[in-house]
Each structure stands twice: as structure tokens, then as C-alpha cells.
Amino acid sequence: MHNATSLENYEEQPFTATHRVRIDCAYDGSLFSGWAAQPNLVTVQGVIENALELILRAPHRVVVAGRTDAGVHAEAQTLHCDLSDEDWTRLQGRTGEDDPTAALGRRLTGALQRCLYDAEEQLNLPKNVRGILQGAIQIHRVSEVPFDFDARFSATGRRYVYRIADGAADGLNPLHRTYTWAVPEHLDCADLNESAQQLLGLRDFLSFCKPREGATTIRELRELSFTRTVTRTENGLIEVRVVADAFCHHMVRSLVGALVLYGTGKRDAAWLRERIENPGREASLTLAPPHALALAEIYYPASELYGVQAERARAKREDHEAQSA
């Protein structure tokens, strides 16, 4: 398993990337401290990179489409990493006939079992729940992609889903509790959808995110919709679809939290409109709980446009950041 020292050594060692692989995966984020690797914490990135090191016998960094916060899940996540000729040969097996991407997918699944057991040890979980992390990270597909593919910058958009069990004053269905936000009041989806229309388009979402230093808070919100998916006899289950070109830190949870405050009558329409029309750092964030949020889809263009989109996204980010400086 890698640590900070081994990663530093990896950066100093010569490494010639000859193959880029795309890894599509999913994970239950309940027990992880988010996606991004952090010292002394169990994260999704950390576990996946540990598994890659186990297979390839050296640390390999991965680039992800969208970083998720602690407790947030991914039904569809995409990342990429670069491999050397030596890595590729190792994956081809002794006969040299194995498909390297298929072999990497199989071996990643096996290595993740061991690394997730190690993660349970690090979390110091009681013995009676050991094994709870098995299957928490699933590899869906591994494929070779051109070098102009970038999991983050080649993406044209991301879709999140947030699930709410409203009208739960009499108690939440126990089978919904892990992945839904229980709201005692009944929510009117039509009213919420009408209010959500004000937020669509290219705008500054400073009132609805925790800005990172030097980063822009301008995003294009393409969809924000509330749909009831089950009957009222089950207390109601609402799916919130949120689609944007990219998201600021805490943006989805803040948008959902603000609209639920409005929908339950705790805030009025004027309050919501003020936050939208006058974005500001002083606006307090009302975050919906993380456990009901999942990254559901990453959108990419046709393969011949990977590089074009990546250049456009990098230029756009640099332009926004220059304006914010």
C-alpha cells in the first residue's frame, strides 16, 4: 500500500506513459472520507490507487471526473490513469496473449477486496461488521483511450441524483433510510420545479457553494427538477435531478437544501430570489445531508472531440479564474 513517501519517490522516478486507460466504476460512499486521497483517512481514491499499486507494483495516480464529498455515492464515476510499456506487458500475462484492459478489470476487482479489508482495519471497525466494505467499490469497465481523453476536462457535463423521502413525520421506511433524506413535511414538486427554473443557466453560484481559493464559482446549470417516483402510501420518494457542466464544492447539496427550506415554508420566495440575484460569500449554506446524494452520470463527447473539449474546459477555467483574481 502506498504512502506519502512512496508517491514522492514515484514522482522522482522516470515514467514514460504509453497507454491511457479509462476506468468506469461505482461506489457506496457511506464509510469513505470522500473521493480525494487524504493522509490517514480512508477515501475512494486512496483505496483504488492502493489496488493499482498492488497490481502494477508501483504507485499510479488517477484523475477523476468529479470529486465527491464524504458520504456521497457514485452510481457512475469515471477516472483515467496512465500505464507504461512495463505495466502493459505485465497485464498481458506470461503468454502475452491476455487483453490488458480486461486483465486490469479482473485484477482490480480482486485487489479491491484486499484493499477494502485493509480499509476496514484502518477504520478500526468492530469485528462483527467486518466485511461491510466488500463490494463498496465496483469496477464496471476498463478500456484503453487516446491520450487526449481526460476524465475531468473531456467531460461535457455531470448529472447528480438526490433522493428525498418527504412526509416522513410518522416514520421513514427503514429500507429508505440509508440513501434518502427524511423530510417531515410534504413537498410540492410542481412548486419546487417552478422555483428551480430561476436557477438555470450560466450564472455565479457563490451563494450556493463553498468556494475554493482561486477557483471560479460560475457554472452552467442545465437541469434542476423534482420528480415523485413512488406513491404517497409509502410516505413519498422524490428524485432531484441536477445537471451542470461542472459543480462547485457543496453546490448540489446547497441547492437542494435551499429549495427544501423554501418548500417547507421555512424561507420565502424573496429569500430565495435574493440569493440567486445577489450571489455572495456571506450567504450561509444550508446543506442537504450527503448520504442521499449520488453522482449518476458523466457526459462525454464523441472520441474525436475528447481533446477539443479538454482544451476548451481548461481555457474556460483559466479565463474564469483570471477574472476572479
Side-chain angles (χ1 to χ4, degrees), residues 243-309:
V243 180
D245 58 344
F247 290 91
C248 309
H249 192 205
H250 290 333
M251 180 173 159
V252 178
R253 291 168 57 199
S254 181
L255 288 170
V256 174
L259 284 164
V260 169
L261 275 180
Y262 163 74
T264 56
K266 296 181 175 67
R267 298 290 188 276
D268 59 19
W271 171 83
L272 184 61
R273 189 164 51 252
E274 173 65 21
R275 291 172 66 91
I276 297 169
E277 295 177 356
N278 298 293
R281 294 177 185 271
E282 67 279 358
S284 59
L285 296 184
T286 303
L287 298 180
H291 70 277
L293 178 61
L295 176 59
E297 190 173 4
I298 310 294
Y299 302 108
Y300 290 103
S303 58
E304 62 270 19
L305 298 177
Y306 286 158
V308 174
Q309 171 59 27

Side-chain angles (χ1 to χ4, degrees), residues 85-103:
D85 277 335
E86 182 181 359
D87 297 324
W88 208 247
T89 300
R90 180 175 289 116
L91 290 169
Q92 288 176 323
R94 293 181 180 179
T95 65
E97 297 179 353
D98 288 350
D99 176 357
T101 57

Side-chain angles (χ1 to χ4, degrees), residues 112-144:
L112 281 170
Q113 291 181 353
R114 173 174 168 180
C115 292
L116 287 168
Y117 277 125
D118 291 340
E120 291 176 355
E121 292 278 352
Q122 187 176 346
L123 289 169
N124 197 28
L125 296 180
K127 289 185 178 180
N128 64 329
V129 296
R130 289 291 170 88
I132 195 171
L133 276 182
Q134 289 303 305
I137 302 175
Q138 292 286 331
I139 303 300
H140 287 165
R141 187 166 67 104
V142 178
S143 55
E144 187 173 12

